[in-house]
Amino acid sequence: CPVCKSDKYLTPNLKLLVSPCFHKMCESCIDRLFGSGPAPCPMCHLVLRRNQFMSQIFEDLAVEKEVRIRKRVAKVFNKRPEDFPSLRLYNDFLEEVEDITFNLMNDVDVAETEAKINAYEMENKDSIAANQARMANENRFQSYQEELQKQEKEHRREEYMQQLEDERRQKEQEKTDLIKELVNGHIEEEEENEMGLLMLLVVVFLFYFYVGVHQQISSSRPCNATICRPQTIISIKTTNRFTSKHIITIWTIDNALMDHFGHGYGRGR
């Protein structure tokens, strides 16, 4: 602090504020000097009030000074291009604003510049207020548009998340259905295999029965070309409907037995 010479090394909680004349002072000195009312600045003797001190935003005090001066000047000189009959007049207006800003930043003819600002503010009080109101409306409209865009983005994000959730549920349902189908198919396959095994046992029984009869026929009648014929193929086929594989069991029976026992019943049986 330039007044009490305190620093953050000895006082870690030291907080410096900036005056309108852009001089730093700590909070303790501000309370001591300006707590009872307006008082002159210890550095430049400009009369200040306690509520005029503000926190420093930028590290460089010169940048802090320029930003504040430009905000102050723009608040008064707030005309727009549509307020002038020609572009040349608007450019002259901007040049005048830059001259005022330069004088205040570099402390050139400060009193004359301040008087010029006050005179312009008194002469254009109504237009300044109208432009400030218009700017406030534009800022509110801009905030409203930003809020709408934010809500729209949030709505699109919710729709996208809902779509992802629906896709996930659909995949889970498809997986569940596939598992159920596989389980049911496995049960049906076991039933088909059991039925095929039963048919196989029947064929085996018939085969051994035919073999026994064939032995009796062979012992009573010699085999010749007219009796001994090629064998008939009997097959049992079961199908796995998931793998599309066929399981074929083949049994052969002498046609002589078929002629002997199939007489009167048809070869197809």
Side-chain angles (χ1 to χ4, degrees), residues 210-235:
Y210 290 156
V211 168
V213 175
H214 178 68
Q215 290 177 355
Q216 294 178 4
I217 295 174
S218 299
S219 60
S220 61
R221 182 175 57 183
C223 181
N224 52 42
T226 59
I227 296 177
C228 296
R229 301 172 183 174
Q231 294 178 332
T232 298
I233 297 176
I234 299 177
S235 64

Side-chain angles (χ1 to χ4, degrees), residues 134-239:
R134 182 170 57 178
M135 185 177 297
N137 291 332
E138 291 177 353
N139 291 335
R140 284 195 296 268
F141 180 76
Q142 182 68 23
S143 300
Y144 176 73
Q145 292 292 331
E146 292 177 355
E147 184 65 23
L148 288 180
Q149 292 178 0
K150 182 179 179 181
Q151 293 178 1
E152 185 178 357
K153 289 181 180 179
E154 184 67 21
H155 180 66
R156 288 200 301 266
R157 190 187 71 84
E158 291 178 356
E159 288 183 349
Y160 177 71
M161 297 301 295
Q162 184 64 33
Q163 182 180 358
L164 292 180
E165 181 66 19
D166 294 340
E167 292 178 356
R168 187 189 65 81
R169 291 181 180 178
Q170 183 178 0
K171 290 181 180 180
E172 290 292 335
Q173 185 64 33
E174 291 177 355
K175 185 186 297 185
T176 303
D177 295 341
L178 180 60
I179 293 175
K180 290 182 180 179
E181 186 176 358
L182 290 175
V183 172
N184 296 333
H186 181 68
I187 295 175
E188 293 178 359
E189 183 181 0
E190 290 181 352
E191 293 177 354
E192 292 177 358
N193 292 336
E194 291 177 358
M195 183 61 66
L197 181 60
L198 180 60
M199 295 177 64
L200 179 61
L201 293 176
V202 172
V203 171
V204 170
F205 173 76
L206 293 176
F207 173 75
Y208 281 105
F209 178 75
Y210 290 156
V211 168
V213 175
H214 178 68
Q215 290 177 355
Q216 294 178 4
I217 295 174
S218 299
S219 60
S220 61
R221 182 175 57 183
C223 181
N224 52 42
T226 59
I227 296 177
C228 296
R229 301 172 183 174
Q231 294 178 332
T232 298
I233 297 176
I234 299 177
S235 64
I236 299 173
K237 180 174 71 174
T238 59
T239 304

